[in-house]
Amino acid sequence: MVQSPASSNEDTRVTFGASIKENQQVLQEIHDITSLAFGTIAGILKLESTYGFLFFLITNILLNLCFIFTIGGFKKVKNYYNNLIADIFIIDISRCISSFTMMWCLVFALIDT
Amino acid sequence: MAVPDLVLDPSLRYWVLLPISFAMVLVGVLRTYITILLEPSPKLQEWKAVREQQHLQHSAIFRKNYFILPSKQDFELRKKHISETMKSMKYLKDGIPDPNELPPNPLSDPNAPNLMFSMIKNNIANYVPQAVIMWWVNYFFAGFVIMKLPFPLTLRFKSMLQNGVSTPDLDVRWVSSISWYFVNLFGLKAVYSLILKSDSALLEQQTQQMPIQMPGANIQVHKVMKGESESVMILQYTSCMDEIEERILKLYA
């Protein structure tokens, strides 16, 4: 017998593209705001070289974990996003790191001179 | 107390750092609005073309979701209808083409230059402001160090980031205005999307609505329709309700 495509298989989950995109935008906005804020903090703390980037990584990972717990834990993530690692941790990282660096440099320069 | 390598005038930050960021944000906002204004209003398509597309979509959706139909009768009815309309080529835009006729030359399509032109316009709207700001930064704030970066860079960056500063032994962390421009160039994306949240969404929507059909993509619709008809014909009815009792028992057991 042909297997029904709707049988409870992970790969045949029915997803609605627009909703997933909307969810990604929500997360992107959070990432934008927080990366600017964390950049400012790094600048105020006068972190230099590796410490700054470590600060970025740690805050970013913590933020993502917090986000995952606000939407209801790791199991609920796949109700909102396609992929846990790619869609929450990886997707915005280059964008975040550049805006973090910008604010970090700016505040660092403002405080230093 | 350690003496700093270099003491910078505090007014540098008010008259160089902040103005560059400010100008870049403003130019970015302006650029977004110009792109929105340059965006052509979506052209109405011919009704026959829309009908053809929607029939193809109908068939594709049916093939994807047929298993939610409640009974086999419904399924057979739709299957028959779709395969027949597809086979009869009733809804083809230009009728069935003559097999001896050569396919139309994609380069002579009257819409192609328009599409190319709008793409070029978009590109220009992106690159011209960047070039202008870069020139402005280079011209106005050349020849002095404005800031110390919080992270070290390799010597390779020296020629680019300390452009016009004639101190061969200065640490690369002290940089001139052009590097602040580059940091801004990459870092302001987040700021733009926060400022222009609604407008950039609008822009995205507009670009999505435009039918993305590259010139030269010469799809022969009657062949696609024939293929659809065949693939609908071979579908076997299965329902998502098959074995539902077992699955529910398994889920809640």
Side-chain angles (χ1 to χ4, degrees):
Chain A
M1 188 191 153
V2 188
Q3 177 149 37
S4 159
S7 65
S8 57
N9 192 339
E10 295 257 327
D11 297 322
T12 53
R13 252 175 343 120
V14 179
T15 52
F16 183 48
S19 298
I20 285 187
K21 218 175 146 201
E22 174 81 27
N23 292 341
Q24 279 170 350
Q25 271 170 0
V26 170
L27 184 62
Q28 195 189 52
E29 197 188 327
I30 294 174
H31 275 152
D32 285 348
I33 296 174
T34 50
S35 61
L36 293 174
F38 288 138
T40 317
I41 294 170
I44 292 171
L45 293 175
K46 295 187 86 171
L47 298 174
E48 292 196 30
S49 61
T50 332
Y51 293 113
F53 291 111
L54 268 183
F55 179 77
F56 169 76
L57 271 184
I58 291 167
T59 48
N60 204 36
I61 288 170
L62 275 181
L63 171 82
N64 286 332
L65 290 178
C66 288
F67 181 75
I68 288 170
F69 284 115
T70 19
I71 63 175
F74 284 100
K75 281 185 183 162
K76 287 277 179 65
V77 170
K78 68 170 191 287
N79 294 352
Y80 303 100
Y81 296 92
N82 278 330
N83 187 322
L84 168 70
I85 301 294
D87 283 350
I88 292 188
F89 286 94
I90 308 288
I91 195 166
D92 283 333
I93 205 150
S94 63
R95 187 190 173 99
C96 281
I97 205 161
S98 51
S99 46
F100 172 85
T101 314
M102 183 190 75
M103 284 315 281
W104 182 24
C105 291
L106 178 66
V107 179
F108 190 85
L110 288 184
I111 287 178
D112 208 39
T113 46
Chain B
M1 189 185 146
V3 182
D5 324 339
L6 213 57
V7 179
L8 295 181
D9 186 350
S11 57
L12 273 178
R13 64 185 182 208
Y14 299 122
W15 296 104
V16 181
L17 270 188
L18 295 180
I20 291 176
S21 312
F22 193 64
M24 285 190 72
V25 171
L26 288 187
V27 169
V29 172
L30 193 71
R31 195 183 64 201
T32 313
Y33 283 120
I34 287 177
T35 337
I36 289 174
L37 286 178
L38 284 181
E39 198 72 43
S41 53
K43 241 192 277 175
L44 280 180
Q45 274 182 307
E46 202 193 344
W47 62 271
K48 279 186 172 171
V50 175
R51 188 177 65 176
E52 177 190 285
Q53 273 173 18
Q54 290 189 343
H55 271 92
L56 285 175
Q57 271 173 16
H58 179 204
S59 159
I61 290 170
F62 174 71
R63 277 194 294 120
K64 198 174 154 200
N65 295 327
Y66 66 90
F67 50 83
I68 59 166
L69 287 173
S71 73
K72 195 168 178 180
Q73 255 180 339
D74 290 334
F75 171 76
E76 292 295 344
L77 215 63
R78 284 171 174 77
K79 180 170 151 182
K80 200 170 155 227
H81 171 71
I82 290 174
S83 61
E84 272 173 12
T85 48
M86 285 289 166
K87 211 186 276 172
S88 68
M89 308 278 165
K90 196 158 52 168
Y91 298 120
L92 211 57
K93 185 172 58 177
D94 309 316
I96 302 166
D98 186 8
N100 299 324
E101 197 186 336
L102 283 170
N105 185 3
L107 292 178
S108 63
D109 184 11
N111 283 330
N114 269 341
L115 200 73
M116 298 287 260
F117 185 60
S118 70
M119 269 158 69
I120 292 171
K121 258 195 312 198
N122 265 339
N123 273 342
I124 288 177
N126 273 328
Y127 287 117
V128 165
Q130 300 298 352
V132 169
I133 300 183
M134 198 164 159
W135 171 83
W136 172 72
V137 168
N138 247 339
Y139 182 79
F140 264 70
F141 308 110
F144 51 89
V145 166
I146 63 161
M147 68 192 294
K148 186 186 178 192
L149 291 180
F151 45 85
L153 291 168
T154 53
L155 272 179
R156 200 170 289 209
F157 289 96
K158 194 173 172 70
S159 60
M160 185 175 82
L161 299 183
Q162 287 184 1
N163 192 11
V165 182
S166 45
T167 44
D169 291 331
L170 188 63
D171 189 0
V172 193
R173 289 176 67 180
W174 298 94
V175 290
S176 64
S177 51
I178 196 71
S179 63
W180 178 234
Y181 162 80
F182 280 117
V183 169
N184 267 336
L185 185 66
F186 298 116
L188 281 177
K189 252 181 230 159
V191 179
Y192 293 146
S193 73
L194 288 177
I195 298 176
L196 304 163
K197 211 181 304 162
S198 52
D199 296 312
S200 57
L202 185 79
L203 190 68
E204 221 166 72
Q205 210 180 11
Q206 274 185 356
T207 43
Q208 266 186 357
Q209 274 171 359
M210 259 172 57
I212 303 162
Q213 202 176 36
M214 289 302 289
N218 189 9
I219 305 163
Q220 288 179 309
V221 188
H222 64 284
K223 283 185 184 161
V224 178
M225 282 201 167
K226 210 175 155 197
E228 283 287 339
S229 148
E230 277 160 11
S231 42
V232 166
M233 277 300 275
I234 59 166
L235 285 182
Q236 292 280 332
Y237 179 67
T238 54
S239 165
C240 58
M241 293 298 177
D242 289 347
E243 299 170 6
I244 182 100
E245 304 92 336
E246 278 174 37
R247 271 184 281 142
I248 284 194
L249 282 178
K250 214 167 117 190
L251 197 63
Y252 292 104

